[in-house]
Amino acid sequence: MMSFDKDKLILVKALMALLIVADHLNFFLDLPWLKPARELGAPIVSVFFFISGFGLVRSYQSKGSAYLTSFPGRKFLRIVLPAVLALICYYLLLWNPERNYLDDWKNLVLYGTPILPFSWFAEAIVFFYLIYYFSFRFLNGKWKAAGLLAGTLVWMAVTILAGYDWCWWICSLSFPSGAFFAYKEKEIYTFCEARPYRYYALLGVLSILFVALYLPRNPYVWTLCYILIPTIVALIVARLPIGRLHGPVILFIAGISYEIYLCHGIPMELFRDRLPIESPLLFILAVYALTIVLAFTVHKASTLISKKICA
């Protein structure tokens, strides 16, 4: 029985969090064996956005309009508060009295230069959540999904015209794709399970389409690749019996995965600029260790603060 439920996503979230750190280590280390991870960044982000869109629609389907009642407060708090706390950690650990912090914010707005390293996705997911809220709160029927797509296209247009780096927009379509997958999930699974060959044929067609869209090496065409990648991942995960393939460590990493995304750039800059570590192996180990400590701290602090605010 195919499914794309929370139990299976635990392992996926943990692996993605660990691999995104490996991807960004390439900006700080020139190691041949680490370079393959450099190709994983955008696909991982596309899966992250896909899961976000999928999860929001599934929550709405199970809870109805009541889900939207507390959404603006609780959901945004879970996204924004950890980002703010991670930024505070960044400023404290890499304190520079000569730094112009107003320029940081100006560069973020004008040029899309994240203040917190590699944190652009946090701003993107906040915007996507806004799109979701207004679409599902004020639009009816099929217009909800149309609102998600239209809002995403607006986001892409604004970031492209503003001259932001392609990372800001190239994976954006994976968010409404995840929502569409949630709407059509049962139909997709029914189609795949009706005949044994259909599942593999569908994966084959999607893979061929991916190759055809990747070969032009045009970033605007690649935006469609990042619809296909998470869809393929979702179909594979839905078929695999990985729901129970996680122990305490995987559960722990998955539980702080969002904070790992936010915090992992901090130790990279710290151990390059302030506390230099020359050994590549020690650098990697130190980055992972401090990332997990920071992520856990931010997660715990944001949880406690959220409970007090929402009490």
Side-chain angles (χ1 to χ4, degrees):
M1 184 70 179
M2 295 179 68
S3 67
F4 193 56
D5 55 31
K6 290 183 178 180
D7 286 342
K8 292 186 176 184
L9 292 180
I10 290 172
L11 181 61
V12 174
K13 288 179 179 180
L15 289 175
M16 290 197 309
L18 296 175
L19 289 172
I20 203 71
V21 179
D23 167 39
H24 289 145
L25 279 167
N26 279 281
F27 290 96
F28 296 82
L29 298 172
D30 185 17
L31 299 173
W33 55 269
L34 194 61
K35 290 190 183 300
R38 186 68 190 93
E39 305 301 322
L40 298 176
I44 287 173
V45 172
S46 71
V47 174
F48 174 80
F49 286 160
F50 183 95
I51 291 173
S52 298
F54 176 87
L56 291 176
V57 170
R58 282 287 294 271
S59 295
Y60 180 81
Q61 288 174 331
S62 62
K63 300 176 183 178
S65 57
Y67 178 66
L68 300 175
T69 303
S70 61
F71 184 86
R74 293 182 181 274
K75 202 68 176 178
F76 282 107
L77 200 59
R78 291 177 186 174
I79 295 297
V80 175
L81 184 56
V84 172
L85 294 176
L87 181 60
I88 292 173
C89 291
Y90 174 67
Y91 277 146
L92 290 175
L93 290 174
L94 288 110
W95 175 256
N96 182 359
E98 298 181 0
R99 185 169 187 166
N100 190 324
Y101 295 98
L102 290 178
D103 280 348
D104 286 351
W105 291 97
K106 182 182 73 174
N107 291 333
L108 172 63
V109 175
L110 295 181
Y111 310 112
T113 305
I115 303 172
L116 186 65
F118 312 120
S119 68
W120 63 268
F121 77 94
E123 286 87 345
I125 203 67
V126 167
F127 186 84
F128 292 152
Y129 276 26
L130 284 171
I131 294 170
Y132 164 80
Y133 175 73
F134 286 108
S135 296
F136 278 67
R137 175 69 176 80
F138 298 108
L139 299 179
N140 297 316
K142 295 181 179 180
W143 289 105
K144 296 181 187 295
L148 286 182
L149 178 58
T152 303
L153 292 174
V154 169
W155 167 261
M156 293 175 66
V158 169
T159 50
I160 290 171
L161 293 174
Y164 286 12
D165 187 87
W166 62 267
C167 66
W168 282 85
W169 50 267
I170 200 165
C171 299
S172 297
L173 289 174
S174 55
F175 179 76
S177 298
F180 178 80
F181 191 89
Y183 274 122
K184 299 295 182 180
E185 186 180 17
K186 291 182 179 179
E187 296 175 34
I188 294 170
Y189 295 161
T190 300
F191 171 82
C192 289
E193 294 175 332
R195 296 286 187 277
Y197 67 86
R198 285 186 177 181
Y199 173 76
Y200 298 102
L202 179 58
L203 285 180
V205 170
L206 293 176
S207 299
I208 292 170
L209 282 174
F210 168 77
V211 172
L213 292 169
Y214 180 80
L215 288 177
R217 304 193 68 81
N218 183 313
Y220 299 104
V221 177
W222 280 354
T223 58
L224 301 178
C225 289
Y226 295 112
I227 294 175
L228 297 173
I229 289 174
T231 303
I232 292 171
V233 169
L235 288 171
I236 293 173
V237 169
R239 192 69 176 264
L240 293 176
I242 61 173
R244 296 181 180 179
L245 293 180
H246 47 72
V249 175
I250 296 298
L251 286 168
F252 173 71
I253 297 298
I256 60 171
S257 57
Y258 174 61
E259 289 80 7
I260 289 175
Y261 282 101
L262 290 170
C263 295
H264 71 279
I266 301 174
M268 291 183 190
E269 289 196 6
L270 179 68
F271 295 134
R272 181 193 63 185
D273 301 333
R274 301 300 178 84
L275 302 171
I277 297 178
E278 299 299 329
S279 167
L281 180 58
L282 289 178
F283 184 90
I284 292 171
L285 292 175
V287 164
Y288 270 105
L290 185 54
T291 294
I292 291 172
V293 170
L294 288 174
F296 176 74
T297 303
V298 167
H299 178 78
K300 278 295 185 182
S302 60
T303 300
L304 290 172
I305 295 171
S306 297
K307 286 182 178 178
K308 290 185 178 181
I309 292 175
C310 298

